């Protein structure tokens, strides 16, 4: 493990660059916002875990060198863009169809929505697919592993970087989900939850358009 300390400047750079990327608003943030405020804390947390799992996929193909092939292949990149954009459009359309909830107490709403919320599997899948099908995330990890991280850095240390980013991404979004699903926060947004879903839908559709027009350069 002592060898790891030799790469602490590089690791610090990875930490900062990754944090800035994770904290930037995007599809991941949009689905966490929707799941936490309009579904349940359980859905929000499992969606966050799914997003973290998606990072592991990006890290794995980057370590194997497949990320560069995807980024350089016009066909592969276009397919990934189309799939990602189509998925975001579908999720956005589902959000646009949200209807006002009945006037109930916060406790009743929380209980009812927890019962009717998406299963853990569906919530995890939403987060996972939202992250994995994001072509911009592919470009980010390709750039990270080819520019920020030196090719001479041992593979096991690069793997450590990847594990760090996977765990930290999951924890960031789990924390965000737990905060947004707090009783006080949900109570504040309760009456406009359907508008939050609709705005999220518009944002996801806009992000889908942005993703569909993303370039490899």
């Amino acid at each position: 493990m002592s060898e790891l300390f030799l790469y602490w400047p590089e690791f610090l750079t990875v930490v900062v660059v990754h944090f800035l990327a994770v904290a930037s608003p995007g599809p991941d943030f949009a689905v966490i916002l929707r799941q936490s405020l309009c579904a349940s804390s359980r859905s929000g947390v499992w969606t966050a875990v799914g997003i973290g799992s998606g990072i592991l996929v990006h890290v794995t193909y980057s370590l194997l060198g497949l990320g560069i092939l995807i980024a350089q292949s016009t066909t592969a990149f276009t397919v990934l863009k189309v799939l990602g954009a189509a998925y975001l459009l579908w999720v956005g359309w589902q959000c646009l169809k949200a209807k006002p909830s009945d006037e109930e107490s916060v406790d009743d709403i929380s209980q009812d929505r927890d019962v009717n919320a998406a299963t853990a599997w569906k919530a995890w899948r939403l987060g996972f697919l939202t992250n994995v099908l994001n072509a911009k995330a592919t470009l980010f990890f390709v750039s990270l592993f080819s520019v920020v991280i030196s090719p001479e850095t041992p593979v096991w240390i690069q793997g450590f970087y990847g594990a760090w980013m996977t765990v930290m991404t999951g924890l960031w979004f789990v924390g965000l989900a737990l905060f947004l699903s707090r009783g006080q926060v949900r109570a504040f947004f309760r009456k406009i939850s359907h508008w939050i879903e609709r705005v999220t839908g518009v944002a996801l559709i806009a992000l889908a358009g942005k993703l569909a027009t993303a370039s490899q350069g």
Side-chain angles (χ1 to χ4, degrees):
M1 290 297 291
S2 59
E3 185 180 4
L4 181 61
F5 291 99
L6 299 176
Y7 293 89
W8 73 263
E10 182 179 78
F11 175 60
L12 183 60
T13 302
V14 170
V15 169
V16 173
V17 171
H18 173 252
F19 174 75
L20 292 175
V22 171
S24 301
D28 295 338
F29 176 82
V31 295
I32 287 293
L33 183 69
R34 184 264 176 186
Q35 292 288 87
S36 301
L37 291 179
C38 306
S40 68
S41 59
R42 181 170 177 267
S43 292
V45 168
W46 277 107
T47 301
V49 174
I51 292 172
S53 301
I55 296 297
L56 186 59
V57 173
H58 293 301
V59 169
T60 299
Y61 66 61
S62 295
L63 286 174
L64 295 175
L66 299 178
I68 295 178
L69 295 178
I70 295 174
Q72 293 180 343
S73 170
T74 301
T75 300
F77 188 75
T78 300
V79 169
L80 183 60
K81 283 199 307 179
V82 171
L83 289 175
Y87 185 71
L88 290 181
L89 281 173
W90 181 80
V91 175
W93 175 246
Q94 299 304 309
C95 292
L96 287 178
K97 296 191 296 182
K99 298 179 180 180
S101 58
D102 296 331
E103 290 295 328
E104 303 174 83
S105 68
V106 176
D107 290 338
D108 289 339
I109 288 178
S110 297
Q111 292 172 2
D112 290 342
R113 288 190 177 177
D114 277 334
V115 170
N116 298 318
T119 62
W121 159 247
K122 289 182 179 179
W124 180 89
R125 184 179 62 190
L126 173 63
F128 179 77
L129 291 178
T130 298
N131 186 272
V132 168
L133 294 178
N134 187 351
K136 288 195 171 182
T138 299
L139 293 179
F140 169 77
F141 279 95
V142 168
S143 299
L144 186 69
F145 277 87
S146 61
V147 178
V148 177
I149 300 175
S150 171
E152 284 72 36
T153 300
V155 174
W156 75 267
I157 292 182
Q158 294 186 40
F160 172 79
Y161 296 164
W164 171 273
M165 290 185 284
T166 298
V167 173
M168 289 300 105
T169 298
L171 290 178
W172 168 265
F173 284 111
V174 165
L176 184 61
L178 291 176
F179 171 76
L180 292 173
S181 58
R182 292 176 60 190
Q184 301 94 320
V185 178
R186 286 167 64 88
F188 179 76
F189 290 105
R190 175 167 59 93
K191 294 182 179 180
I192 59 171
S193 61
H194 63 292
W195 285 112
I196 293 174
E197 286 208 66
R198 291 174 183 177
V199 170
T200 301
V202 172
L204 287 172
I205 291 173
L207 287 169
K210 190 174 182 180
L211 175 60
T213 58
S215 63
Q216 292 170 274

